[in-house]
Amino acid sequence: MKLAFFGAEGKAGSAIVRRLEAAGHEVRGIEVGDEPDVEGCDAAVDFTTPEAAPANVRAALEQGVSCVVGTTGWEPGELGALAAEKGLRLFVAPNFSIGAVLMMRFAQEAAVHFPRAEIVELHNEAKKDAPSGTAKTTAELVGGDPAIHSVRLPGLVAHQEVIFGGEGQLLTIRHDTTGRESFADGVLLALEKLGELPPGLTIGLETLIS
Ligand code: NAP
């Protein structure tokens, strides 16, 4: 596919672009100050900032191009409506790591049998927010208001354990992100499935994994 990539030089963007190009996609990087020109592209991808993403997505939709967005911390509802109006797709996922999405799914399944759980999320010290969005989503899926423990230390990337306790047994479900390349698998999957999605907004990688 011919892709426009907003934020291609960012930490996540640069790792993802390498994998997209290796998979055979042609990528046009769009940086701060560039015209948001996505003419002729099959899709646009955005990994920028919550301030920049809405304008980038709007510009792409106005040019008739569907979008895949990883930027977190913004509200996509209004632009989802614009996409629907134009018969285009807006796919937004707060976590593009397939392993993390499976970890949440398995935890939800385990919670049926183990009602007591606690969550430990561990991230690099650069991550300012705590608990992480993934930990909060996991807590909702598991139910029962599990305690969340947040660890911020150098040397960590992004890790999460869901520990279930029962009578005489423990079950631990753990996911480790060791590199930002991991997000590319989810982006590749979203691009592959984009045309099959209904027009308008779709949220979450779990909607694409059967
Ligand atoms: P980052 O390293 O700061 O990268 C952001 C990039 O976007 C920078 O290169 C920045 O350029 C560029 N940018 C800012 N405004 C722009 C605009 N108007 N047009 C084009 N490019 C623009 O941050 P990051 O760690 O890669 O994260 C980026 C976003 O992705 C964050 O919201 C993060 O939460 C999210 N993220 C999501 C996932 C997921 O799985 N969904 C995974 C990783 C990250 P300058 O440096 O020149 O300002």
Side-chain angles (χ1 to χ4, degrees), residues 42-209:
D42 301 307
V45 183
D46 186 290
F47 278 75
T48 59
T49 66
E51 295 73 33
N56 293 338
V57 170
R58 182 176 293 281
L61 295 175
E62 297 287 4
Q63 292 170 72
V65 174
S66 293
C67 299
V68 169
V69 182
T71 305
T72 52
W74 66 292
E75 176 43 62
E78 194 184 317
L79 289 167
L82 177 65
E85 235 171 71
K86 293 184 168 289
L88 298 168
R89 281 90 182 160
L90 172 56
F91 180 81
V92 180
N95 199 326
F96 271 98
S97 159
I98 289 175
V101 171
L102 289 176
M103 177 261 297
M104 287 187 265
R105 180 180 290 185
F106 298 154
Q108 188 177 18
E109 200 179 327
V112 176
H113 306 284
F114 289 85
R116 295 280 307 281
E118 300 208 1
I119 298 169
V120 186
E121 58 97 344
L122 312 92
H123 285 84
N124 189 266
E125 59 183 341
K127 184 173 177 67
K128 295 286 179 267
D129 56 315
S132 69
T134 298
K136 287 193 257 184
T137 305
T138 309
E140 280 167 29
L141 293 172
V142 163
D145 203 16
I148 303 176
H149 310 273
S150 298
V151 181
R152 297 287 176 271
L153 284 172
L156 291 166
V157 182
H159 318 259
Q160 181 170 296
E161 282 185 3
V162 189
I163 307 170
F164 293 92
E167 291 301 318
Q169 60 179 329
L170 288 168
L171 171 64
T172 303
I173 300 172
R174 179 176 173 117
H175 177 254
D176 294 280
T177 302
T178 55
R180 291 185 179 85
E181 304 76 25
S182 61
F183 302 122
D185 289 326
V187 174
L188 283 163
L189 181 66
L191 290 168
E192 187 190 316
K193 303 255 175 159
L194 197 58
E196 298 166 23
L197 295 176
L201 178 64
T202 303
I203 296 181
L205 200 61
E206 62 280 5
T207 59
L208 308 183
I209 302 173

